[in-house]
Amino acid sequence: MNAAKPLRADALRNREALLAKAREVFDAGEFFDLRFDDFARLAGVGTGTLYRHFPTREALAEAVYHDQVAALCSRARHLQATMPAGEALAAFLRSMVDYLDTYRGLARTLATLMGAASDTLAEGSRALEQAVTDLVAAAVQAGAIRDDVGVGTVMMALHGIGAAHDRPDWRAEADGVITLVVDGLRR
Amino acid sequence: MNAAKPLRADALRNREALLAKAREVFDAGEFFDLRFDDFARLAGVGTGTLYRHFPTREALAEAVYHDQVAALCSRARHLQATMPAGEALAAFLRSMVDYLDTYRGLARTLATLMGAASDTLAEGSRALEQAVTDLVAAAVQAGAIRDDVGVGTVMMALHGIGAAHDRPDWRAEADGVITLVVDGLRR
DNA sequence: GAAAATATGGAGATGGTCTCCGTTTGTCAA
DNA sequence: TTGACAAACGGAGACCATCTCCATATTTTC
């Protein structure tokens, strides 16, 4: 997956500084409001450097959440290995909402990434879709859920949950969507 | 709803020209890509005039789709009056997808408007939410659907459908979401 | 330790958004 | 009609975020 890239010492240092500051700003919930240039100054590097490491705001977001998304995917695999297929899917969807609730910025990020699904970006989002695909396939195989709705449908529902991140009653409504999806999926 | 506003003749003419051009551009699917200034020139008015009539791109979008949204709302009321409550909701949701499929721009518009739900804007989106609220309330009343999920949940699902407008397999996935919601809503 | 390769930073080009205000057009009362 | 006042026009240019370019600096390699 990663091409062998011997990154120069100072380059790596700056990259880390950028990522560190990005995480900080994410936690403060200001990531999407901040001027991208100012962000470079905050992290103590020049604008050029920022753009060289992360060509777009989305690329930076993706890098920041790469770990989180990986964790989600591995959680999906873990659930799939230790639970009945039908329950695994439901459990994963619920834990997904938990995650999004805890890391508020993540919801907005995922929605953005999925929206900008173009090109080679949004690698994380594709990984996630793959994980969900596996869960759904297994559940169908086991006869736990109907087979006439695709993964895309489930992804679309998740997308909606992310996209609506600023509705006042987000958590309750998100839980509701998952409930409908899970119940609707039953044969 | 409308304050008495004696609009001057030329003002009205320009307003109409703007709206006409906006509809045209919408149908061509270029509305969200076009420079807002260029749009003014296309319609044959100055930038100042454009901004005076429609302070933001969203305001213009809302004006353009005001009729469509009104039609949707009245359709909702019609269905509610002529069908069993449970079926009315399902029928409405399905016809909603039809609408969004036919007028591709509408999906993006609704998603944008719901996203920018701030302030007094998005009047249309609130009207729509009200219509859905009524449908859901009636269906619950009639015992046709469960009562433990709110309208917000349904709105969130719709929001997702709108937000995901650029997924390659949109139509099928949107239908899938509606199916899940409808089936999930059954008691 | 000098050349080659790699990275830096920030001034400025770019391009979209929006405002300001001198001019034009419409309205209405006399 | 016409004069005078209000309403609306339009587009030049201010403003601001994004992104590029390249002279300079740092690291690596030999």
Side-chain angles (χ1 to χ4, degrees):
Chain A
M1 184 157 267
N2 271 348
K5 265 197 170 184
L7 211 46
R8 225 174 72 173
D10 52 349
L12 195 81
R13 200 181 326 121
N14 280 331
R15 184 165 221 284
E16 286 312 318
L18 248 359
L19 279 173
K21 192 46 107 178
R23 282 194 205 95
E24 187 183 320
V25 171
F26 251 116
D27 287 347
E30 295 162 355
F31 183 81
F32 286 95
D33 307 319
L34 214 61
R35 283 184 44 185
F36 207 38
D37 274 25
D38 280 355
F39 177 79
R41 185 156 303 168
L42 271 183
V45 308
T47 19
T49 304
L50 168 57
Y51 279 94
R52 197 167 328 100
H53 284 296
F54 306 100
T56 66
R57 195 184 288 268
E58 287 71 38
L60 179 51
E62 168 136 344
V64 166
Y65 277 110
H66 189 273
D67 297 353
Q68 313 266 29
V69 171
L72 275 173
C73 292
S74 101
R75 178 174 175 73
R77 276 188 295 276
H78 176 70
L79 289 176
Q80 187 165 358
T82 59
M83 278 177 129
E87 289 171 38
L89 177 59
F92 177 71
L93 293 179
R94 296 212 177 280
S95 77
M96 185 90 185
V97 173
D98 266 348
Y99 237 93
L100 295 181
D101 194 24
T102 307
Y103 304 94
R104 292 300 239 85
L106 182 53
R108 210 166 161 184
T109 305
L110 280 185
T112 305
L113 289 184
M114 285 184 166
S118 63
D119 288 17
T120 36
L121 262 187
E123 170 205 321
S125 120
R126 253 183 297 113
L128 231 178
E129 182 151 355
Q130 185 56 53
V132 176
T133 301
D134 293 345
L135 281 169
V136 169
V140 167
Q141 191 90 27
I145 64 171
R146 60 205 287 175
D147 61 359
D148 62 337
V149 301
V151 207
T153 297
V154 177
M155 291 313 287
M156 194 181 256
L158 284 179
H159 192 165
I161 290 175
H165 49 75
D166 46 6
R167 285 181 70 92
D169 221 5
W170 185 86
R171 178 63 203 246
E173 295 178 2
D175 282 335
V177 171
I178 297 298
T179 298
L180 287 190
V181 169
V182 168
D183 288 359
L185 273 173
R186 255 195 279 278
R187 285 182 153 282
Chain B
M1 185 159 266
N2 271 347
K5 264 197 172 183
L7 211 45
R8 226 173 71 172
D10 52 348
L12 194 80
R13 200 182 327 124
N14 280 329
R15 184 167 222 281
E16 285 313 317
L18 249 359
L19 280 174
K21 192 48 107 179
R23 281 193 207 97
E24 187 183 320
V25 171
F26 252 116
D27 287 347
E30 297 163 353
F31 184 82
F32 287 96
D33 307 319
L34 213 62
R35 282 184 46 187
F36 207 38
D37 273 26
D38 279 354
F39 176 78
R41 185 157 303 169
L42 272 183
V45 306
T47 16
T49 303
L50 168 57
Y51 279 94
R52 199 167 325 102
H53 284 296
F54 306 101
T56 67
R57 195 183 287 269
E58 287 71 38
L60 180 52
E62 168 135 345
V64 166
Y65 276 110
H66 188 273
D67 296 353
Q68 311 266 32
V69 172
L72 276 173
C73 292
S74 102
R75 179 175 175 72
R77 274 188 297 275
H78 176 72
L79 290 176
Q80 188 166 358
T82 60
M83 280 177 127
E87 290 171 38
L89 176 59
F92 178 70
L93 292 180
R94 295 212 176 279
S95 77
M96 186 90 186
V97 174
D98 265 348
Y99 237 94
L100 295 181
D101 195 23
T102 307
Y103 305 94
R104 293 301 239 84
L106 184 52
R108 210 165 161 184
T109 306
L110 281 185
T112 306
L113 290 183
M114 285 184 165
S118 63
D119 287 18
T120 36
L121 262 184
E123 168 206 322
S125 120
R126 254 183 297 111
L128 231 178
E129 182 150 356
Q130 185 57 52
V132 176
T133 302
D134 294 346
L135 280 169
V136 169
V140 167
Q141 192 89 27
I145 64 171
R146 61 206 287 177
D147 61 357
D148 63 337
V149 301
V151 207
T153 297
V154 177
M155 290 312 289
M156 195 181 256
L158 284 179
H159 193 164
I161 290 176
H165 49 75
D166 45 6
R167 285 181 70 93
D169 221 4
W170 185 84
R171 179 62 202 247
E173 295 177 3
D175 282 334
V177 171
I178 298 297
T179 298
L180 287 191
V181 169
V182 169
D183 288 358
L185 274 173
R186 258 196 277 278
R187 286 185 152 277

